[in-house]
Amino acid sequence: MMNGKKIAAAFAWVESPSAVNTAIKVLAALCGLLFLLDFVIHRHTYVPGEGMWGFYAFTGFIAFTLIVLGAKTLRTLILRDENYYGEQSVDSEEYPASQLAIESDQEDAK
Amino acid sequence: MSWLIPPLLFFYGAFLCLVVGRKQRTFITLLIPVVALFSLLMLPMGNMAQVQFLGFELIFVRLDKLAFVFSLIFIIAAFLASIYAWHVNDKVQQVSTLLYAGAALGGVLAGDLITLFLYWEITAVASVFLIWARRTPAAYATGMRYLLIQVGSGVLLLAGLLVHYNDTGSILFEHMGLVSTGTLLIFLAFGIKCAFPLMHNWLQDSYPAATVTGTVVLSSFTTKMAVYALARGYAGEEILIYIGAIMTLFPIFFAEIENDLRKVLAYSLNNQLGFMVVGVGIGTELALNGTAAHAFCHILYKSLLFMSVGAVLYRTGTSKASELGGLYKTMPVTMVCCLIGAASISAFPLFSGFISKSLILDASAKNGYYLVWFALVVASAGVLSHSGIKIPYFTFFAHDSGKRPMEAPVHMRIAMIITAALCVIIGVFPSLLYQLLPYEVDYKPYTTSHVLAQMQLLCFALLAFVFLMRKGIHPPEVRGINLDSDWAYRKGLPSILAMSAAGATQIATKAREGLQAQASDWVFTIRRLSAPGGLLAKGWGVNSMVFVVTLLLLLVLFLNLK
């Protein structure tokens, strides 16, 4: 599909490390800007402490990090083999291919 | 008119699907939601379709604004799922989809508890076929587990309803509150279907086991019917606030490390239900509006996410993150739709989640539940991590898996594009949704301060993701499963039973061996005594005989003394 190709092309920059670096810099700049806006715009607040500058920025960064670290720790405790529950669980089997239409994009393969 | 109420229309459709051919079936699954929509729009507010049954007055339709908004989104969800399932040529799935959607609709419109119970059980039985339709032994086993729990919830509801009727003499389905054994039982029945913590695992167990299209259907109805039931019966029940807050938090960790993306979405569904339950628990007009709005938006973006992951499964044969990556090249439309779903669930401004979740957050802050409010803010960052980033990133970007699947079929793309468009339209024009809500809405989501706060939260969370990926701290996607509380009844309890059975057998064996040894000891002793030369077999002399006889006579004398 023509449109699809264009969309894919618009996202092709993710392949280039330098473009990804630029994107990260843009994100960092955006974060910096948002952080600084706290000093300019007075946020309307209900909760004590919510009005503190950088409240949402810190919460976002720290909460995300702690969630990832927490999940990583959790994984060491509860990760098991896919066949753990044997054939009582769909994790151990492939999805029946007869119900699917697994096809490769021939054009792209060329 | 009462023969043309929306739930019945779905049942008629299901019946028709049983008897007609393939092409007509597909057409019926699309037509029924449209007809049902007209029927819903024409229904007057208030009670109708009342039936006398064994001295009870059953109210099959009780329409008010709360029931209306849930009914509307159920019909929309059924329609979108039908477009998505256009290719399905499976009578079982088509019939059960219509039955299931109709029953969920019936549950929402039910005006009394008996009618609610009836539909509550139909949803359980109808929906299990969407899991069994995968037609593998594992899907069969999973379906049985699902059915047991779902029907169990119905049994609790029935028990609660009987006790409640005995207490109050009323079967009306209205605000009850947690005041008696009966209402507690009903509360637990709702809690199971709403996937309260520790009653949740049926959801993550069964939804990923359903068919590609079945999961999309499943994700919309059961749990939201339960949210509706809680909002109807238990609004303002404080314990729900804390239950909801826990529900928003704990699934995040499981979602973060889960490899099967459909299971990630099931955990994320659980987390979103938490927001709605908090809204019900606060119970103010603002909070209940938030719950209804969030259910509405959530059904759309969750369907959209399940659709996009389903399309990937349909084209590649897997939904495991460790096997995917780089699919944006050949499935760009699916990818964009997935990104819109991800932005909506993460509540980016201009997407639907933003305008619904903030109602609940504001309600919790205004009512002084600061800790709960903070939990919801943290959970919002968590939503970004597993649904906002993980789903699209590991599927369509990340490392190139080398897979170059075809783009999703046209009908799937149409379904996804419509759903995505709805997510954006609601996000940009929130008043469209707000005017449907049960109470008057006096709320502006797009204030500078609110947008700024949300953008700070999300952008810094995104920055944390980049940081963790660059530092290699972010956990990689690996094959495997993660244990959850269902381990207790899938492994723990059976192994305890097996152990006790083994123990009992061992005790029985030991006891038998002991008795046998004892018995053979006695036999041996008797043999020894009676063997040739043994004590009893010896020839006895006359003297000793006289001695024994004298002893016996003395004994007789002694016994006769008194």
Side-chain angles (χ1 to χ4, degrees):
Chain A
M1 213 170 86
M2 196 55 211
N3 288 339
K5 288 264 176 285
K6 274 187 188 159
I7 298 169
F11 278 85
W13 59 268
V14 299
E15 305 282 322
S16 139
S18 66
V20 171
N21 278 334
T22 314
I24 291 172
K25 277 176 196 150
V26 171
L27 175 68
L30 179 64
C31 285
L33 178 70
L34 287 168
F35 191 84
L36 289 177
L37 277 178
D38 252 9
F39 296 95
V40 184
I41 297 171
H42 174 71
R43 279 192 281 106
H44 191 69
T45 60
Y46 296 107
V47 179
E50 189 194 349
M52 196 185 74
W53 49 262
F55 175 83
Y56 282 98
F58 283 117
T59 307
F61 194 92
I62 295 170
F64 193 102
T65 311
L66 289 182
I67 286 167
V68 170
L69 293 179
K72 228 177 143 174
T73 317
L74 184 67
R75 178 183 264 179
T76 59
L77 299 174
I78 61 171
L79 184 69
R80 294 291 183 279
D81 188 74
E82 275 176 341
N83 291 317
Y84 182 75
Y85 287 119
E87 61 175 36
Q88 297 289 306
S89 167
V90 292
D91 302 293
S92 61
E93 66 175 28
E94 293 294 320
Y95 194 98
S98 60
Q99 295 175 28
L100 305 176
I102 303 172
E103 272 181 69
S104 285
D105 196 324
Q106 295 305 323
E107 224 177 296
D108 195 86
K110 288 172 201 166
Chain B
M1 186 61 196
S2 59
W3 292 106
L4 291 175
I5 56 174
L8 284 184
L9 288 171
F10 275 90
F11 294 160
Y12 300 151
F15 179 75
L16 270 178
C17 277
L18 274 180
V19 291
V20 299
R22 181 207 166 150
K23 277 195 178 146
Q24 290 89 330
R25 279 207 306 273
T26 318
F27 182 66
I28 288 169
T29 54
L30 273 180
L31 181 69
I32 290 294
V34 177
V35 180
L37 179 66
F38 280 109
S39 161
L40 177 72
L41 293 176
M42 281 164 63
L43 281 180
M45 290 286 169
N47 294 353
M48 59 175 296
Q50 280 142 295
V51 179
Q52 290 292 331
F53 175 73
L54 299 176
F56 293 107
E57 190 181 31
L58 306 187
I59 305 163
F60 280 91
V61 173
R62 179 257 317 269
L63 191 65
D64 58 8
K65 291 195 90 177
L66 181 65
F68 180 83
V69 68
F70 276 87
S71 305
L72 180 65
I73 189 60
F74 278 7
I75 291 173
I76 295 174
F79 180 68
L80 293 170
S82 297
I83 302 179
Y84 184 76
W86 182 262
H87 66 281
V88 172
N89 177 23
D90 180 359
K91 200 182 270 186
V92 172
Q93 286 192 65
Q94 286 162 321
V95 170
S96 79
T97 299
L98 286 174
L99 271 183
Y100 176 40
L105 206 50
V108 165
L109 289 171
D112 67 278
L113 291 167
I114 295 180
T115 310
L116 178 71
F117 165 73
L118 184 76
Y119 285 124
W120 201 258
E121 291 293 43
I122 299 178
T123 56
V125 176
S127 58
V128 73
F129 287 95
L130 295 171
I131 300 165
W132 284 341
R134 182 171 170 146
R135 296 183 172 84
T136 63
Y140 174 74
T142 311
M144 285 309 279
R145 289 195 296 275
Y146 170 82
L147 194 59
L148 267 176
I149 292 172
Q150 295 294 309
V151 171
S153 159
V155 172
L156 274 178
L157 176 58
L158 180 62
L161 143 68
L162 291 173
V163 178
H164 181 67
Y165 174 68
N166 201 27
D167 289 348
T168 63
S170 162
I171 55 160
L172 283 181
F173 180 28
E174 54 195 2
H175 182 79
M176 294 176 281
L178 267 175
V179 289
S180 60
T181 317
T183 51
L184 175 68
L185 288 170
I186 298 174
F187 183 79
L188 290 175
F190 293 175
I192 291 177
K193 286 218 186 193
C194 196
F196 280 3
L198 299 182
M199 304 180 184
H200 67 280
N201 45 51
W202 61 268
L203 199 161
Q204 293 83 3
D205 182 26
S206 63
Y207 284 12
T211 61
V212 169
T213 51
T215 312
V216 177
V217 178
L218 283 169
S219 75
S220 297
F221 299 114
T222 300
T223 48
K224 261 62 73 183
M225 179 175 74
V227 165
Y228 165 83
L230 284 170
R232 175 70 68 189
Y234 298 94
E237 207 54 62
E238 196 174 4
I239 190 170
L240 284 172
I241 301 176
Y242 304 107
I243 293 176
I246 296 170
M247 271 167 88
T248 59
L249 286 177
F250 89 87
I252 293 175
F253 296 95
F254 287 86
E256 190 62 42
I257 48 176
E258 178 57 48
N259 189 31
D260 182 353
L261 294 174
R262 296 206 298 169
K263 202 178 263 189
V264 173
L265 287 174
Y267 276 113
S268 136
L269 201 170
N270 210 171
N271 145 285
Q272 294 295 305
L273 290 171
F275 285 94
M276 297 172 216
V277 171
V278 169
V280 175
I282 296 169
T284 60
E285 292 192 351
L286 176 66
L288 289 174
N289 275 342
T291 297
H294 205 50
F296 197 99
C297 296
H298 159 88
I299 287 181
L300 290 173
Y301 58 65
K302 185 58 68 177
S303 292
L304 179 56
L305 288 168
F306 269 120
M307 282 179 192
S308 57
V309 173
V312 168
L313 171 61
Y314 187 68
R315 282 304 196 206
T316 63
T318 183
S319 58
K320 288 174 179 164
S322 55
E323 314 302 303
L324 295 170
L327 300 192
Y328 82 94
K329 290 175 187 159
T330 55
M331 298 185 82
V333 176
T334 310
M335 176 268 292
V336 169
C337 290
C338 183
L339 281 177
I340 291 173
S344 300
I345 195 173
S346 312
F348 273 97
L350 300 182
F351 293 93
S352 60
F354 179 73
I355 64 110
S356 58
K357 191 162 39 175
S358 39
L359 292 171
I360 297 169
L361 275 149
D362 268 33
S364 62
K366 277 182 183 159
N367 287 283
Y369 294 105
Y370 297 142
L371 209 60
V372 171
W373 172 85
F374 188 67
L376 298 187
V377 172
V378 170
S380 301
V383 174
L384 178 77
S385 78
H386 58 74
S387 293
I389 296 173
K390 178 169 172 165
I391 297 279
Y393 180 75
F394 287 104
T395 313
F396 298 104
F397 305 102
H399 71 281
D400 190 349
S401 62
K403 289 188 165 70
R404 295 287 182 270
M406 283 272 282
E407 179 59 277
V410 177
H411 62 274
M412 285 189 175
R413 267 179 279 165
I414 292 173
M416 288 190 284
I417 289 170
I418 296 176
T419 317
L422 287 173
C423 289
V424 176
I425 290 170
I426 293 172
V428 177
F429 305 107
S431 58
L432 290 177
L433 175 59
Y434 285 172
Q435 65 191 8
L436 297 172
L437 298 180
Y439 303 100
E440 198 71 38
V441 179
D442 174 30
Y443 185 80
K444 299 221 165 8
Y446 289 109
T447 60
T448 322
S449 118
H450 188 203
V451 173
L452 175 63
Q454 186 69 5
M455 285 306 287
Q456 284 174 335
L457 183 78
L458 294 175
C459 287
F460 273 87
L462 209 56
L463 195 66
F465 171 72
V466 172
F467 170 76
L468 293 169
M469 284 301 277
R470 282 282 153 122
K471 291 277 168 203
I473 301 170
H474 197 279
E477 300 307 306
V478 293
R479 291 194 77 133
I481 62 153
N482 297 298
L483 303 183
D484 194 349
S485 57
D486 54 347
W487 180 87
Y489 59 78
R490 294 175 72 181
K491 281 275 181 180
L493 206 58
S495 69
I496 288 175
L497 283 178
M499 261 159 55
S500 9
T505 318
Q506 224 167 14
I507 291 171
T509 317
K510 279 266 162 64
R512 201 169 54 225
E513 281 170 0
L515 276 176
Q516 272 173 349
Q518 195 60 53
S520 58
D521 269 4
W522 286 335
V523 170
F524 182 74
T525 312
I526 292 169
R527 272 216 183 126
R528 193 162 51 81
L529 290 177
S530 56
L535 188 62
L536 295 173
K538 248 203 274 197
W540 288 42
V542 176
N543 291 349
S544 46
M545 278 306 279
V546 169
F547 178 69
V548 170
V549 169
T550 316
L551 273 182
L552 282 174
L553 286 174
L554 275 173
L555 186 66
V556 170
L557 198 61
F558 179 74
L559 287 175
N560 286 291
L561 260 182
K562 59 171 174 186

